[in-house]
């Protein structure tokens, strides 16, 4: 952008899979976040967002392939920047509101930072794993998703000198697992390789099987019961994080979706 341009910044939020299911997941507060920009000089709009490249389910659980022991993960994420803001998409079931105004100079610095941030974090991580619900709970693993990209971008804009409006409430979806201290299990080679732990590998394959995609209604009902048994009754969860596997000794409330209020940065 030209340095003297004035850029309006928008908060964008809509239910996950809104294009397919409308506001359905919005009732469960499962939302996707993005950022919009509008140039005063050109009148053009732009959207920036951080996406799971192979859809949310594929980032959260792996594929099990016949004859291959190791699970196959499609958990890459990346920043996407494109011209236009789909007003209907964001307004119909979500949010499209201005939150700040910046100069073209600040935008150009942000654009450079987005590329650097994109090269730094390349994996999508759905879960935040904590010891409990309390404010001082141990955070074992933090999520790395669309909302975290927006929060990082707001913080960067703030450090670059942007002033945000203070009368706008901003909430973000977070998916929690609650666990005692995680136990490191190993990586793909040490668990599933020729000299790996065959017993553990088998247990992990059985754990991931109910979470597979493309199930019939009957299969899904049975899988949900299986998931409940493993996570709640057996208190087991196998987490894949940065190429490594961890055992989570689950504890109440086990899994929780929150829609947390996190204010915009201000001085």
């Amino acid at each position: 952008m030209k340095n003297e341009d004035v850029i309006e910044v928008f908060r964008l939020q809509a239910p996950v899979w809104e294009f397919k299911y409308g506001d359905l997941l919005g009732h469960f507060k499962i939302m996707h976040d993005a950022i919009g920009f509008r140039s005063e000089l050109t009148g053009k709009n732009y959207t920036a967002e951080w996406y799971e490249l192979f859809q949310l389910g594929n980032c959260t659980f792996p594929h099990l392939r016949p004859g291959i022991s190791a699970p196959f993960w499609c958990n890459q994420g990346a920043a996407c920047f494109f011209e236009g803001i789909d007003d209907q998409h964001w307004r119909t079931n979500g949010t499209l509101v201005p939150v700040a105004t910046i100069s073209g100079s600040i935008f150009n610095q942000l654009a450079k930072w987005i590329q650097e941030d994109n090269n730094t974090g390349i994996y999508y991580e759905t879960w935040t794993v904590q010891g409990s619900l309390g404010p001082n709970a141990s955070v074992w693993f933090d999520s790395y998703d669309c909302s975290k990209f927006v929060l990082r971008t707001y913080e960067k804009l703030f450090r670059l000198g942007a002033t945000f409006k203070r009368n706008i409430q901003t909430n973000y979806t977070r998916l929690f697992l609650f666990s005692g201290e995680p136990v490191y299990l190993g990586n793909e080679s040490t668990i599933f390789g020729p000299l790996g732990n065959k017993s553990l590998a088998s247990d992990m394959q059985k754990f991931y099987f109910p979470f597979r995609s493309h199930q019939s209604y009957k299969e899904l009902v049975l899988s949900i019961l299986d998931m409940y048994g493993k996570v709640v009754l057996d208190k087991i969860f196998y987490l894949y994080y940065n190429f490594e596997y961890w055992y989570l000794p689950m504890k109440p409330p086990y899994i929780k979706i929150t829609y947390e209020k996190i204010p915009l940065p201000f001085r």
Side-chain angles (χ1 to χ4, degrees):
M1 305 289 188
K2 292 185 177 180
N3 288 339
E4 65 272 19
D5 200 350
V6 176
I7 313 295
E8 194 166 19
V9 182
F10 295 91
R11 163 176 161 80
L12 308 177
Q13 187 177 75
V16 170
W17 297 325
E18 188 267 348
F19 66 93
K20 186 173 183 180
Y21 299 113
D23 67 344
L24 176 62
L25 291 176
H27 295 295
F28 301 96
K29 301 300 183 185
I30 303 179
M31 309 295 282
H32 173 67
D33 296 275
I35 304 173
F37 301 94
R38 182 181 182 278
S39 163
E40 188 175 276
L41 283 179
T42 67
K44 289 185 177 181
N45 298 322
Y46 303 90
T47 300
E49 51 193 331
W50 202 79
Y51 252 120
E52 66 283 3
L53 296 184
F54 302 101
Q55 294 297 331
L56 182 60
N58 294 319
C59 287
T60 309
F61 296 103
H63 293 271
L64 301 180
R65 298 171 291 176
I68 300 177
S69 177
F72 181 69
W73 290 89
C74 301
N75 60 336
Q76 290 79 20
C80 304
F81 185 89
F82 52 92
E83 186 174 339
I85 295 176
D86 186 346
D87 286 32
Q88 183 176 0
H89 168 71
W90 300 106
R91 289 184 188 277
T92 301
N93 296 307
T95 301
L96 195 166
V97 295
V99 293
T101 302
I102 61 175
S103 67
S105 175
I106 289 179
F107 177 89
N108 293 334
Q109 295 175 73
L110 178 72
K112 181 179 178 181
W113 172 84
I114 287 178
Q115 294 181 62
E116 295 169 352
D117 182 76
N118 189 47
N119 292 334
T120 301
I122 61 173
Y123 294 108
Y124 190 98
E125 177 52 52
T126 304
W127 304 106
T128 297
V129 184
Q130 288 191 181
S132 67
L133 275 170
N136 298 318
S138 298
V139 179
W140 308 118
F141 300 97
D142 207 354
S143 60
Y144 203 83
D145 55 16
C146 61
S147 66
K148 289 299 180 71
F149 170 76
V150 169
L151 290 168
R152 290 196 305 275
T153 303
Y154 285 164
E155 186 61 34
K156 181 63 177 179
L157 282 171
F158 180 71
R159 294 199 301 270
L160 290 173
T163 300
F164 287 87
K165 299 181 179 182
R166 297 186 59 178
N167 61 339
I168 298 173
Q169 181 171 321
T170 51
N171 292 65
Y172 303 89
T173 300
R174 300 189 72 189
L175 278 69
F176 288 91
L177 297 174
F178 297 96
S179 160
E181 185 170 354
V183 178
Y184 175 68
L185 298 175
N187 57 31
E188 179 179 310
S189 177
T190 59
I191 298 173
F192 300 98
L195 301 178
N197 187 328
K198 289 183 171 53
S199 176
L200 176 59
S202 177
D203 287 343
M204 294 176 72
Q205 288 172 331
K206 291 175 183 176
F207 173 81
Y208 288 128
F209 183 73
F211 297 95
R212 66 194 184 280
S213 57
H214 307 299
Q215 300 185 53
S216 67
Y217 177 76
K218 181 180 178 181
E219 289 174 328
L220 183 59
V221 171
L222 294 174
S223 292
I224 290 173
L225 293 175
D226 197 359
M227 296 172 198
Y228 179 85
K230 286 179 169 63
V231 175
V232 177
L233 301 182
D234 298 336
K235 297 178 171 53
I236 293 172
F237 197 99
Y238 292 116
L239 182 75
Y240 183 69
Y241 197 92
N242 284 352
F243 295 104
E244 297 176 325
Y245 288 95
W246 297 78
Y247 164 73
L248 305 181
M250 299 295 287
K251 62 183 186 179
Y254 305 105
I255 299 175
K256 188 177 180 65
I257 299 173
T258 66
Y259 191 55
E260 293 189 1
K261 179 181 177 180
I262 303 177
L264 293 165
F266 63 90
R267 292 175 176 80

